[in-house]
Amino acid sequence: MDLDKNKPGTAPARRRYVTTRRLDRIFVELAKVYRFNARFFREVWFPPYEFKEIIKQCYEIGVRSLPLISLTGFIIGIVFTNQSRPSLADFGATSLLPALISVAIIRAIGPLVTALIAAGRVGSAIGAELGSMRVTEQIDAMEVSATNPFKFLVVSRVLASTLMIPALTMFTTLVSLLGGYLNVHQNELTSLSVFFYQVFDAITFLDIVASSVKSVIFGFTIGMVGCYKGYNSSKGTEGVGKAANSSVVTAMFLIFIEELLIMQVINAIRAF
Amino acid sequence: MEAKEINPNIDRNEKVISIRGLKKAFDDFEVLKGVDLDLYKGENLVVLGRSGTGKSVLIKIISGLLYGDEGSVNVLGQDVGELKPRDLDALRLKIGFSFQNSALYDSMTVRENLAFPLVRHAKNMGEQEREDLILYVLEAVGLSQAINQMPSELSGGQRKRIGIARTLILKPDIMLYDEPTAGLDPITCIEINNLINEVQRRFNTSSIIITHDLTCARAVGDRVVMLLDGQFQREGTFEEVFDSNDERVQSFYNYNFID
Ligand SMILES: Nc1ncnc2c1ncn2[C@@H]1O[C@H](COP(=O)(O)OP(=O)(O)OP(=O)(O)O)[C@@H](O)[C@H]1O
Ligand SMILES: [Mg+2]
């Protein structure tokens, strides 16, 4: 038992110590994150380019996530449309449904849902894979065979995820709109051409650019967080689980923050 | 197990590794406290020591995976701590590092594991030539049939041998074996010991073999050193090292060895 605990003055002192330690740790972590990102931007330009690995990762991230993400998008399209109908019906404005769906899905739901699902699926996979490679010394093995593991593992994954998440987002958005169309068609008997005419009428070029930029940033975030957590995973099997888990949590958290910030910027531009 | 005949090809005038006064601490925990070590050309040097004495840390410093706090580490005439990344990579190509847990790339087949260093460092090598070389090293470790398997489908001993094959494929001048026989059955141990000696003969490499398996030490070592309390305290042939009244040395022997 810690007898010192009962001495007067000890507890606050210790608490202060703990707080500074914690602050230290946060700054050290931030510096590490900065260095990791800086290294990515330094190394991405120069050969050797690991094209084969990039393509493999694009396949892993893009194609393998397609079924889950499109299913989710489709269902969200239907459900969202169905749930929005009553409020519009109150005003007798169900003819505005396609426009509403369009704005909601293209501006917000498409990119966000894709990113969140990818954070869960792709982020955790990258975190766990690199984490276990770190733990079993495969990353060290690459390094001693004079191969740059950062380039082979990190650069390829971050690039693949930055490329594939926007592509997935586009696909999800389309499938979502299709889900919405099915629901509208069933209830309001709107034709496909009329539906999509209204959909594209409701959005602007800025919306599409904004969504694309957003999904590029989300993709980068997911790849980067997964790689950072995995690459710096602590030793032991426990480290792998932690890396996978915190990849997802951190990526989702950052995605929400980015979503909020980007929304503010876009609104400012729109108002301008 | 017979003691090894000392390799007649050792060149005592040529040091491939020379370490002086190497110290390494993790936070407050001093692991290496002034290590001196020479490895001569063509020699198999066994490093003995209990678990956690810093044997793995030592060879990680030699290959530039970790850095020492003090002292000099000279490998093939170059100071490892001072090298630029590009020069360090060039040096690493001459060092084969066989990891304690093999460290095979899980996501690749045995063939891809072996091709991994070749694709990057022997770029002008033709497809056929590469395949031949892969088959050659696989044959050298006696696992030709495993070429299309995934690492997860191999046993611990097989993984170890593939790990050794992967480091051999670039024909290194120096081999670093981290506990090549740990966790293997006695017969596989003997196979691995023979493999280490075979590598020394066939490729004329100089090696550091880390182990706490005395059978292995006796079978492969031309010279044995013992790491105790962060320093090399005993040095010589196997018999010389254990010809000591030091309790730590004796307990190491008695615990390990009944013959
Ligand atoms: N990266 C690291 N960070 C902190 N401590 C470390 C690190 N690597 C090794 N150590 C510590 O250094 C000590 C020596 O480790 P090392 O792996 O060299 O032991 P070893 O002699 O190889 O033992 P074993 O026979 O069990 O493999 C251990 O106590 C370990 O906790
Ligand atoms: Mg070790």
Side-chain angles (χ1 to χ4, degrees), chain A residues 50 56 129 133 135-138 140-147 152, chain B residues 60 63 65 89 92-93 97 99 101 103-106 116 120-121 166:
Chain A
E50 303 281 359
K56 186 174 156 202
E129 190 188 7
M133 290 188 80
V135 170
T136 56
E137 296 181 314
Q138 292 176 50
D140 289 339
M142 272 182 198
E143 204 157 314
V144 292
S145 72
T147 302
F152 184 76
Chain B
K60 281 183 184 165
S63 59
L65 281 175
D89 275 351
R92 278 170 170 168
L93 291 179
F97 195 128
F99 282 83
N101 52 20
L104 298 181
Y105 307 131
D106 289 333
F116 190 85
R120 286 167 183 77
H121 301 295
R166 190 178 62 185

PDB file of all heavy atoms in Angstrom, chain A residues 50 56 129 133 135-138 140-147 152, chain B residues 60 63 65 89 92-93 97 99 101 103-106 116 120-121 166:
ATOM      1  N   GLU A  50       6.162   1.395 -56.102  1.00  0.00           N
ATOM      2  CA  GLU A  50       5.710   0.010 -55.913  1.00  0.00           C
ATOM      3  C   GLU A  50       4.357  -0.174 -56.595  1.00  0.00           C
ATOM      4  O   GLU A  50       3.341  -0.403 -55.945  1.00  0.00           O
ATOM      5  CB  GLU A  50       5.626  -0.322 -54.417  1.00  0.00           C
ATOM      6  CG  GLU A  50       6.917  -0.133 -53.652  1.00  0.00           C
ATOM      7  CD  GLU A  50       7.887  -1.294 -53.854  1.00  0.00           C
ATOM      8  OE1 GLU A  50       7.539  -2.242 -54.560  1.00  0.00           O
ATOM      9  OE2 GLU A  50       9.008  -1.216 -53.307  1.00  0.00           O
ATOM     10  N   LYS A  56      -2.504  -3.905 -56.110  1.00  0.00           N
ATOM     11  CA  LYS A  56      -3.034  -4.946 -55.224  1.00  0.00           C
ATOM     12  C   LYS A  56      -3.887  -4.314 -54.111  1.00  0.00           C
ATOM     13  O   LYS A  56      -4.975  -4.791 -53.795  1.00  0.00           O
ATOM     14  CB  LYS A  56      -1.863  -5.718 -54.612  1.00  0.00           C
ATOM     15  CG  LYS A  56      -2.275  -6.914 -53.799  1.00  0.00           C
ATOM     16  CD  LYS A  56      -1.065  -7.707 -53.358  1.00  0.00           C
ATOM     17  CE  LYS A  56      -1.411  -8.505 -52.109  1.00  0.00           C
ATOM     18  NZ  LYS A  56      -0.248  -8.876 -51.324  1.00  0.00           N
ATOM     19  N   GLU A 129      -3.151  -5.433 -40.274  1.00  0.00           N
ATOM     20  CA  GLU A 129      -2.131  -6.059 -41.116  1.00  0.00           C
ATOM     21  C   GLU A 129      -0.744  -5.489 -40.802  1.00  0.00           C
ATOM     22  O   GLU A 129       0.202  -6.232 -40.538  1.00  0.00           O
ATOM     23  CB  GLU A 129      -2.456  -5.855 -42.598  1.00  0.00           C
ATOM     24  CG  GLU A 129      -1.542  -6.705 -43.465  1.00  0.00           C
ATOM     25  CD  GLU A 129      -1.672  -6.408 -44.939  1.00  0.00           C
ATOM     26  OE1 GLU A 129      -2.372  -5.444 -45.302  1.00  0.00           O
ATOM     27  OE2 GLU A 129      -1.043  -7.128 -45.726  1.00  0.00           O
ATOM     28  N   MET A 133       2.466  -7.164 -38.902  1.00  0.00           N
ATOM     29  CA  MET A 133       3.780  -7.184 -39.564  1.00  0.00           C
ATOM     30  C   MET A 133       4.847  -6.555 -38.672  1.00  0.00           C
ATOM     31  O   MET A 133       6.001  -6.983 -38.666  1.00  0.00           O
ATOM     32  CB  MET A 133       3.726  -6.441 -40.897  1.00  0.00           C
ATOM     33  CG  MET A 133       2.926  -7.167 -41.950  1.00  0.00           C
ATOM     34  SD  MET A 133       3.059  -6.391 -43.555  1.00  0.00           S
ATOM     35  CE  MET A 133       4.643  -7.010 -44.094  1.00  0.00           C
ATOM     36  N   VAL A 135       4.697  -6.511 -35.323  1.00  0.00           N
ATOM     37  CA  VAL A 135       4.906  -7.396 -34.176  1.00  0.00           C
ATOM     38  C   VAL A 135       5.762  -8.603 -34.552  1.00  0.00           C
ATOM     39  O   VAL A 135       6.631  -9.021 -33.797  1.00  0.00           O
ATOM     40  CB  VAL A 135       3.539  -7.858 -33.619  1.00  0.00           C
ATOM     41  CG1 VAL A 135       3.711  -8.958 -32.597  1.00  0.00           C
ATOM     42  CG2 VAL A 135       2.822  -6.678 -32.997  1.00  0.00           C
ATOM     43  N   THR A 136       5.523  -9.165 -35.723  1.00  0.00           N
ATOM     44  CA  THR A 136       6.281 -10.355 -36.110  1.00  0.00           C
ATOM     45  C   THR A 136       7.572  -9.985 -36.838  1.00  0.00           C
ATOM     46  O   THR A 136       8.178 -10.826 -37.504  1.00  0.00           O
ATOM     47  CB  THR A 136       5.440 -11.279 -37.001  1.00  0.00           C
ATOM     48  OG1 THR A 136       4.999 -10.516 -38.129  1.00  0.00           O
ATOM     49  CG2 THR A 136       4.235 -11.802 -36.276  1.00  0.00           C
ATOM     50  N   GLU A 137       7.961  -8.748 -36.751  1.00  0.00           N
ATOM     51  CA  GLU A 137       9.244  -8.257 -37.286  1.00  0.00           C
ATOM     52  C   GLU A 137       9.345  -8.330 -38.802  1.00  0.00           C
ATOM     53  O   GLU A 137      10.438  -8.280 -39.357  1.00  0.00           O
ATOM     54  CB  GLU A 137      10.424  -9.002 -36.642  1.00  0.00           C
ATOM     55  CG  GLU A 137      10.511  -8.744 -35.148  1.00  0.00           C
ATOM     56  CD  GLU A 137      11.688  -9.440 -34.475  1.00  0.00           C
ATOM     57  OE1 GLU A 137      11.898 -10.618 -34.752  1.00  0.00           O
ATOM     58  OE2 GLU A 137      12.384  -8.779 -33.685  1.00  0.00           O
ATOM     59  N   GLN A 138       8.194  -8.451 -39.484  1.00  0.00           N
ATOM     60  CA  GLN A 138       8.260  -8.467 -40.953  1.00  0.00           C
ATOM     61  C   GLN A 138       8.712  -7.107 -41.490  1.00  0.00           C
ATOM     62  O   GLN A 138       9.377  -7.024 -42.520  1.00  0.00           O
ATOM     63  CB  GLN A 138       6.896  -8.821 -41.546  1.00  0.00           C
ATOM     64  CG  GLN A 138       6.488 -10.252 -41.268  1.00  0.00           C
ATOM     65  CD  GLN A 138       5.089 -10.563 -41.767  1.00  0.00           C
ATOM     66  OE1 GLN A 138       4.744 -10.292 -42.894  1.00  0.00           O
ATOM     67  NE2 GLN A 138       4.269 -11.127 -40.891  1.00  0.00           N
ATOM     68  N   ASP A 140      10.797  -5.072 -39.928  1.00  0.00           N
ATOM     69  CA  ASP A 140      12.255  -5.058 -39.736  1.00  0.00           C
ATOM     70  C   ASP A 140      12.939  -5.892 -40.808  1.00  0.00           C
ATOM     71  O   ASP A 140      13.999  -5.530 -41.309  1.00  0.00           O
ATOM     72  CB  ASP A 140      12.621  -5.626 -38.355  1.00  0.00           C
ATOM     73  CG  ASP A 140      12.236  -4.671 -37.238  1.00  0.00           C
ATOM     74  OD1 ASP A 140      12.076  -3.475 -37.525  1.00  0.00           O
ATOM     75  OD2 ASP A 140      12.093  -5.121 -36.091  1.00  0.00           O
ATOM     76  N   ALA A 141      12.307  -7.025 -41.146  1.00  0.00           N
ATOM     77  CA  ALA A 141      12.912  -7.900 -42.156  1.00  0.00           C
ATOM     78  C   ALA A 141      13.018  -7.176 -43.494  1.00  0.00           C
ATOM     79  O   ALA A 141      14.005  -7.314 -44.204  1.00  0.00           O
ATOM     80  CB  ALA A 141      12.091  -9.180 -42.302  1.00  0.00           C
ATOM     81  N   MET A 142      11.975  -6.410 -43.834  1.00  0.00           N
ATOM     82  CA  MET A 142      12.051  -5.625 -45.074  1.00  0.00           C
ATOM     83  C   MET A 142      13.195  -4.638 -44.999  1.00  0.00           C
ATOM     84  O   MET A 142      13.959  -4.462 -45.944  1.00  0.00           O
ATOM     85  CB  MET A 142      10.760  -4.851 -45.282  1.00  0.00           C
ATOM     86  CG  MET A 142       9.739  -5.650 -46.025  1.00  0.00           C
ATOM     87  SD  MET A 142       8.266  -4.712 -46.310  1.00  0.00           S
ATOM     88  CE  MET A 142       7.183  -6.092 -46.655  1.00  0.00           C
ATOM     89  N   GLU A 143      13.285  -3.989 -43.849  1.00  0.00           N
ATOM     90  CA  GLU A 143      14.311  -2.967 -43.708  1.00  0.00           C
ATOM     91  C   GLU A 143      15.713  -3.565 -43.850  1.00  0.00           C
ATOM     92  O   GLU A 143      16.545  -2.999 -44.560  1.00  0.00           O
ATOM     93  CB  GLU A 143      14.157  -2.283 -42.349  1.00  0.00           C
ATOM     94  CG  GLU A 143      14.736  -0.906 -42.336  1.00  0.00           C
ATOM     95  CD  GLU A 143      14.118  -0.052 -41.254  1.00  0.00           C
ATOM     96  OE1 GLU A 143      12.879  -0.048 -41.120  1.00  0.00           O
ATOM     97  OE2 GLU A 143      14.866   0.580 -40.524  1.00  0.00           O
ATOM     98  N   VAL A 144      15.967  -4.704 -43.223  1.00  0.00           N
ATOM     99  CA  VAL A 144      17.315  -5.266 -43.345  1.00  0.00           C
ATOM    100  C   VAL A 144      17.561  -5.866 -44.719  1.00  0.00           C
ATOM    101  O   VAL A 144      18.703  -6.106 -45.079  1.00  0.00           O
ATOM    102  CB  VAL A 144      17.647  -6.332 -42.271  1.00  0.00           C
ATOM    103  CG1 VAL A 144      17.741  -5.714 -40.909  1.00  0.00           C
ATOM    104  CG2 VAL A 144      16.665  -7.468 -42.289  1.00  0.00           C
ATOM    105  N   SER A 145      16.502  -6.112 -45.496  1.00  0.00           N
ATOM    106  CA  SER A 145      16.778  -6.540 -46.874  1.00  0.00           C
ATOM    107  C   SER A 145      16.845  -5.315 -47.778  1.00  0.00           C
ATOM    108  O   SER A 145      16.698  -5.420 -48.993  1.00  0.00           O
ATOM    109  CB  SER A 145      15.739  -7.542 -47.352  1.00  0.00           C
ATOM    110  OG  SER A 145      14.516  -6.903 -47.582  1.00  0.00           O
ATOM    111  N   ALA A 146      17.083  -4.150 -47.170  1.00  0.00           N
ATOM    112  CA  ALA A 146      17.326  -2.913 -47.917  1.00  0.00           C
ATOM    113  C   ALA A 146      16.141  -2.509 -48.784  1.00  0.00           C
ATOM    114  O   ALA A 146      16.295  -1.894 -49.819  1.00  0.00           O
ATOM    115  CB  ALA A 146      18.591  -3.009 -48.755  1.00  0.00           C
ATOM    116  N   THR A 147      14.929  -2.880 -48.342  1.00  0.00           N
ATOM    117  CA  THR A 147      13.721  -2.393 -49.009  1.00  0.00           C
ATOM    118  C   THR A 147      13.087  -1.386 -48.056  1.00  0.00           C
ATOM    119  O   THR A 147      13.026  -1.638 -46.873  1.00  0.00           O
ATOM    120  CB  THR A 147      12.730  -3.548 -49.238  1.00  0.00           C
ATOM    121  OG1 THR A 147      13.381  -4.527 -50.019  1.00  0.00           O
ATOM    122  CG2 THR A 147      11.499  -3.061 -49.960  1.00  0.00           C
ATOM    123  N   PHE A 152       6.921   0.676 -49.415  1.00  0.00           N
ATOM    124  CA  PHE A 152       6.212  -0.521 -49.858  1.00  0.00           C
ATOM    125  C   PHE A 152       4.857  -0.651 -49.177  1.00  0.00           C
ATOM    126  O   PHE A 152       3.860  -0.960 -49.808  1.00  0.00           O
ATOM    127  CB  PHE A 152       7.063  -1.756 -49.567  1.00  0.00           C
ATOM    128  CG  PHE A 152       6.456  -3.036 -50.072  1.00  0.00           C
ATOM    129  CD1 PHE A 152       6.493  -3.344 -51.413  1.00  0.00           C
ATOM    130  CD2 PHE A 152       5.838  -3.914 -49.195  1.00  0.00           C
ATOM    131  CE1 PHE A 152       5.920  -4.516 -51.886  1.00  0.00           C
ATOM    132  CE2 PHE A 152       5.268  -5.090 -49.653  1.00  0.00           C
ATOM    133  CZ  PHE A 152       5.315  -5.383 -51.010  1.00  0.00           C
TER     134      PHE A 152
ATOM    135  N   LYS B  60      20.690  -6.418 -33.835  1.00  0.00           N
ATOM    136  CA  LYS B  60      19.895  -5.357 -34.465  1.00  0.00           C
ATOM    137  C   LYS B  60      20.729  -4.095 -34.621  1.00  0.00           C
ATOM    138  O   LYS B  60      20.562  -3.336 -35.578  1.00  0.00           O
ATOM    139  CB  LYS B  60      18.631  -5.080 -33.660  1.00  0.00           C
ATOM    140  CG  LYS B  60      17.570  -6.120 -33.930  1.00  0.00           C
ATOM    141  CD  LYS B  60      16.276  -5.871 -33.214  1.00  0.00           C
ATOM    142  CE  LYS B  60      15.332  -7.039 -33.479  1.00  0.00           C
ATOM    143  NZ  LYS B  60      14.191  -7.043 -32.554  1.00  0.00           N
ATOM    144  N   SER B  63      22.953  -4.524 -37.660  1.00  0.00           N
ATOM    145  CA  SER B  63      22.309  -4.341 -38.962  1.00  0.00           C
ATOM    146  C   SER B  63      21.614  -2.982 -39.083  1.00  0.00           C
ATOM    147  O   SER B  63      20.896  -2.742 -40.044  1.00  0.00           O
ATOM    148  CB  SER B  63      21.307  -5.456 -39.201  1.00  0.00           C
ATOM    149  OG  SER B  63      20.353  -5.435 -38.171  1.00  0.00           O
ATOM    150  N   LEU B  65      19.185  -1.672 -37.334  1.00  0.00           N
ATOM    151  CA  LEU B  65      17.771  -1.545 -36.969  1.00  0.00           C
ATOM    152  C   LEU B  65      17.612  -0.731 -35.694  1.00  0.00           C
ATOM    153  O   LEU B  65      16.593  -0.092 -35.460  1.00  0.00           O
ATOM    154  CB  LEU B  65      17.145  -2.922 -36.754  1.00  0.00           C
ATOM    155  CG  LEU B  65      16.757  -3.698 -37.997  1.00  0.00           C
ATOM    156  CD1 LEU B  65      16.255  -5.086 -37.629  1.00  0.00           C
ATOM    157  CD2 LEU B  65      15.700  -2.957 -38.789  1.00  0.00           C
ATOM    158  N   ASP B  89      21.749   0.936 -46.720  1.00  0.00           N
ATOM    159  CA  ASP B  89      21.076  -0.076 -47.540  1.00  0.00           C
ATOM    160  C   ASP B  89      22.080  -0.923 -48.305  1.00  0.00           C
ATOM    161  O   ASP B  89      21.930  -2.140 -48.397  1.00  0.00           O
ATOM    162  CB  ASP B  89      20.102   0.603 -48.511  1.00  0.00           C
ATOM    163  CG  ASP B  89      18.753   0.870 -47.853  1.00  0.00           C
ATOM    164  OD1 ASP B  89      18.554   0.374 -46.731  1.00  0.00           O
ATOM    165  OD2 ASP B  89      17.924   1.568 -48.449  1.00  0.00           O
ATOM    166  N   ARG B  92      23.540  -3.297 -45.951  1.00  0.00           N
ATOM    167  CA  ARG B  92      22.592  -4.324 -45.523  1.00  0.00           C
ATOM    168  C   ARG B  92      22.468  -5.453 -46.535  1.00  0.00           C
ATOM    169  O   ARG B  92      22.135  -6.583 -46.181  1.00  0.00           O
ATOM    170  CB  ARG B  92      21.210  -3.690 -45.295  1.00  0.00           C
ATOM    171  CG  ARG B  92      21.101  -3.038 -43.944  1.00  0.00           C
ATOM    172  CD  ARG B  92      19.844  -2.237 -43.870  1.00  0.00           C
ATOM    173  NE  ARG B  92      19.585  -1.792 -42.509  1.00  0.00           N
ATOM    174  CZ  ARG B  92      18.671  -0.888 -42.212  1.00  0.00           C
ATOM    175  NH1 ARG B  92      17.955  -0.341 -43.164  1.00  0.00           N
ATOM    176  NH2 ARG B  92      18.470  -0.529 -40.960  1.00  0.00           N
ATOM    177  N   LEU B  93      22.721  -5.139 -47.793  1.00  0.00           N
ATOM    178  CA  LEU B  93      22.648  -6.193 -48.802  1.00  0.00           C
ATOM    179  C   LEU B  93      23.728  -7.233 -48.578  1.00  0.00           C
ATOM    180  O   LEU B  93      23.625  -8.358 -49.055  1.00  0.00           O
ATOM    181  CB  LEU B  93      22.773  -5.592 -50.202  1.00  0.00           C
ATOM    182  CG  LEU B  93      21.576  -4.752 -50.628  1.00  0.00           C
ATOM    183  CD1 LEU B  93      21.793  -4.182 -52.003  1.00  0.00           C
ATOM    184  CD2 LEU B  93      20.308  -5.591 -50.595  1.00  0.00           C
ATOM    185  N   PHE B  97      20.061 -11.447 -42.330  1.00  0.00           N
ATOM    186  CA  PHE B  97      19.542 -11.417 -40.968  1.00  0.00           C
ATOM    187  C   PHE B  97      18.428 -12.444 -40.876  1.00  0.00           C
ATOM    188  O   PHE B  97      17.384 -12.289 -41.484  1.00  0.00           O
ATOM    189  CB  PHE B  97      19.016 -10.018 -40.663  1.00  0.00           C
ATOM    190  CG  PHE B  97      18.773  -9.747 -39.199  1.00  0.00           C
ATOM    191  CD1 PHE B  97      19.327  -8.624 -38.599  1.00  0.00           C
ATOM    192  CD2 PHE B  97      17.994 -10.591 -38.433  1.00  0.00           C
ATOM    193  CE1 PHE B  97      19.107  -8.359 -37.255  1.00  0.00           C
ATOM    194  CE2 PHE B  97      17.772 -10.333 -37.102  1.00  0.00           C
ATOM    195  CZ  PHE B  97      18.325  -9.206 -36.508  1.00  0.00           C
ATOM    196  N   PHE B  99      15.681 -13.898 -38.619  1.00  0.00           N
ATOM    197  CA  PHE B  99      15.002 -13.437 -37.404  1.00  0.00           C
ATOM    198  C   PHE B  99      14.625 -14.579 -36.481  1.00  0.00           C
ATOM    199  O   PHE B  99      14.427 -15.708 -36.913  1.00  0.00           O
ATOM    200  CB  PHE B  99      13.751 -12.637 -37.770  1.00  0.00           C
ATOM    201  CG  PHE B  99      14.063 -11.246 -38.209  1.00  0.00           C
ATOM    202  CD1 PHE B  99      14.437 -10.979 -39.512  1.00  0.00           C
ATOM    203  CD2 PHE B  99      14.015 -10.192 -37.315  1.00  0.00           C
ATOM    204  CE1 PHE B  99      14.748  -9.700 -39.923  1.00  0.00           C
ATOM    205  CE2 PHE B  99      14.326  -8.913 -37.709  1.00  0.00           C
ATOM    206  CZ  PHE B  99      14.688  -8.663 -39.011  1.00  0.00           C
ATOM    207  N   ASN B 101      11.889 -15.170 -35.039  1.00  0.00           N
ATOM    208  CA  ASN B 101      10.625 -15.844 -35.374  1.00  0.00           C
ATOM    209  C   ASN B 101      10.417 -15.935 -36.885  1.00  0.00           C
ATOM    210  O   ASN B 101       9.301 -15.900 -37.361  1.00  0.00           O
ATOM    211  CB  ASN B 101       9.466 -15.121 -34.713  1.00  0.00           C
ATOM    212  CG  ASN B 101       9.509 -13.640 -35.026  1.00  0.00           C
ATOM    213  OD1 ASN B 101      10.153 -13.232 -35.999  1.00  0.00           O
ATOM    214  ND2 ASN B 101       8.839 -12.843 -34.241  1.00  0.00           N
ATOM    215  N   ALA B 103      10.036 -14.219 -39.384  1.00  0.00           N
ATOM    216  CA  ALA B 103       9.572 -12.994 -40.037  1.00  0.00           C
ATOM    217  C   ALA B 103       9.323 -13.167 -41.520  1.00  0.00           C
ATOM    218  O   ALA B 103       9.646 -12.304 -42.323  1.00  0.00           O
ATOM    219  CB  ALA B 103      10.558 -11.839 -39.788  1.00  0.00           C
ATOM    220  N   LEU B 104       8.725 -14.294 -41.902  1.00  0.00           N
ATOM    221  CA  LEU B 104       8.334 -14.450 -43.312  1.00  0.00           C
ATOM    222  C   LEU B 104       7.152 -13.532 -43.599  1.00  0.00           C
ATOM    223  O   LEU B 104       6.337 -13.268 -42.721  1.00  0.00           O
ATOM    224  CB  LEU B 104       7.936 -15.904 -43.591  1.00  0.00           C
ATOM    225  CG  LEU B 104       9.019 -16.946 -43.383  1.00  0.00           C
ATOM    226  CD1 LEU B 104       8.482 -18.334 -43.720  1.00  0.00           C
ATOM    227  CD2 LEU B 104      10.241 -16.635 -44.223  1.00  0.00           C
ATOM    228  N   TYR B 105       7.076 -13.059 -44.851  1.00  0.00           N
ATOM    229  CA  TYR B 105       5.951 -12.193 -45.207  1.00  0.00           C
ATOM    230  C   TYR B 105       4.694 -13.042 -45.364  1.00  0.00           C
ATOM    231  O   TYR B 105       4.563 -13.828 -46.293  1.00  0.00           O
ATOM    232  CB  TYR B 105       6.258 -11.426 -46.492  1.00  0.00           C
ATOM    233  CG  TYR B 105       7.569 -10.683 -46.431  1.00  0.00           C
ATOM    234  CD1 TYR B 105       8.504 -10.791 -47.448  1.00  0.00           C
ATOM    235  CD2 TYR B 105       7.883  -9.875 -45.340  1.00  0.00           C
ATOM    236  CE1 TYR B 105       9.715 -10.118 -47.383  1.00  0.00           C
ATOM    237  CE2 TYR B 105       9.086  -9.209 -45.270  1.00  0.00           C
ATOM    238  CZ  TYR B 105       9.997  -9.336 -46.287  1.00  0.00           C
ATOM    239  OH  TYR B 105      11.187  -8.678 -46.213  1.00  0.00           O
ATOM    240  N   ASP B 106       3.757 -12.858 -44.442  1.00  0.00           N
ATOM    241  CA  ASP B 106       2.558 -13.696 -44.374  1.00  0.00           C
ATOM    242  C   ASP B 106       1.723 -13.694 -45.640  1.00  0.00           C
ATOM    243  O   ASP B 106       1.088 -14.677 -45.978  1.00  0.00           O
ATOM    244  CB  ASP B 106       1.634 -13.187 -43.251  1.00  0.00           C
ATOM    245  CG  ASP B 106       2.213 -13.465 -41.900  1.00  0.00           C
ATOM    246  OD1 ASP B 106       2.980 -14.427 -41.803  1.00  0.00           O
ATOM    247  OD2 ASP B 106       1.895 -12.722 -40.952  1.00  0.00           O
ATOM    248  N   PHE B 116      11.275 -11.511 -53.211  1.00  0.00           N
ATOM    249  CA  PHE B 116      11.134 -10.125 -52.739  1.00  0.00           C
ATOM    250  C   PHE B 116      12.443  -9.334 -52.758  1.00  0.00           C
ATOM    251  O   PHE B 116      12.502  -8.258 -53.341  1.00  0.00           O
ATOM    252  CB  PHE B 116      10.517 -10.134 -51.333  1.00  0.00           C
ATOM    253  CG  PHE B 116      10.100  -8.782 -50.844  1.00  0.00           C
ATOM    254  CD1 PHE B 116       8.856  -8.263 -51.176  1.00  0.00           C
ATOM    255  CD2 PHE B 116      10.942  -8.022 -50.063  1.00  0.00           C
ATOM    256  CE1 PHE B 116       8.466  -7.014 -50.736  1.00  0.00           C
ATOM    257  CE2 PHE B 116      10.560  -6.772 -49.616  1.00  0.00           C
ATOM    258  CZ  PHE B 116       9.318  -6.270 -49.951  1.00  0.00           C
ATOM    259  N   ARG B 120      14.001  -6.406 -56.141  1.00  0.00           N
ATOM    260  CA  ARG B 120      14.411  -5.036 -55.851  1.00  0.00           C
ATOM    261  C   ARG B 120      15.903  -4.796 -56.006  1.00  0.00           C
ATOM    262  O   ARG B 120      16.315  -3.675 -56.264  1.00  0.00           O
ATOM    263  CB  ARG B 120      13.959  -4.660 -54.450  1.00  0.00           C
ATOM    264  CG  ARG B 120      12.481  -4.427 -54.460  1.00  0.00           C
ATOM    265  CD  ARG B 120      11.855  -4.350 -53.122  1.00  0.00           C
ATOM    266  NE  ARG B 120      10.423  -4.194 -53.334  1.00  0.00           N
ATOM    267  CZ  ARG B 120       9.610  -5.174 -53.678  1.00  0.00           C
ATOM    268  NH1 ARG B 120      10.070  -6.400 -53.839  1.00  0.00           N
ATOM    269  NH2 ARG B 120       8.336  -4.953 -53.884  1.00  0.00           N
ATOM    270  N   HIS B 121      16.698  -5.838 -55.808  1.00  0.00           N
ATOM    271  CA  HIS B 121      18.135  -5.575 -55.773  1.00  0.00           C
ATOM    272  C   HIS B 121      18.930  -6.279 -56.855  1.00  0.00           C
ATOM    273  O   HIS B 121      20.126  -6.082 -56.958  1.00  0.00           O
ATOM    274  CB  HIS B 121      18.694  -5.934 -54.399  1.00  0.00           C
ATOM    275  CG  HIS B 121      18.040  -5.147 -53.325  1.00  0.00           C
ATOM    276  ND1 HIS B 121      18.172  -3.785 -53.242  1.00  0.00           N
ATOM    277  CD2 HIS B 121      17.200  -5.501 -52.332  1.00  0.00           C
ATOM    278  CE1 HIS B 121      17.468  -3.351 -52.226  1.00  0.00           C
ATOM    279  NE2 HIS B 121      16.858  -4.362 -51.656  1.00  0.00           N
ATOM    280  N   ARG B 166      15.817 -17.085 -47.470  1.00  0.00           N
ATOM    281  CA  ARG B 166      15.545 -15.728 -47.942  1.00  0.00           C
ATOM    282  C   ARG B 166      16.737 -14.806 -47.708  1.00  0.00           C
ATOM    283  O   ARG B 166      17.004 -13.909 -48.502  1.00  0.00           O
ATOM    284  CB  ARG B 166      14.298 -15.170 -47.241  1.00  0.00           C
ATOM    285  CG  ARG B 166      13.818 -13.866 -47.842  1.00  0.00           C
ATOM    286  CD  ARG B 166      12.572 -13.362 -47.157  1.00  0.00           C
ATOM    287  NE  ARG B 166      12.814 -13.077 -45.748  1.00  0.00           N
ATOM    288  CZ  ARG B 166      11.863 -12.722 -44.895  1.00  0.00           C
ATOM    289  NH1 ARG B 166      10.622 -12.642 -45.296  1.00  0.00           N
ATOM    290  NH2 ARG B 166      12.158 -12.474 -43.628  1.00  0.00           N
TER     291      ARG B 166
END
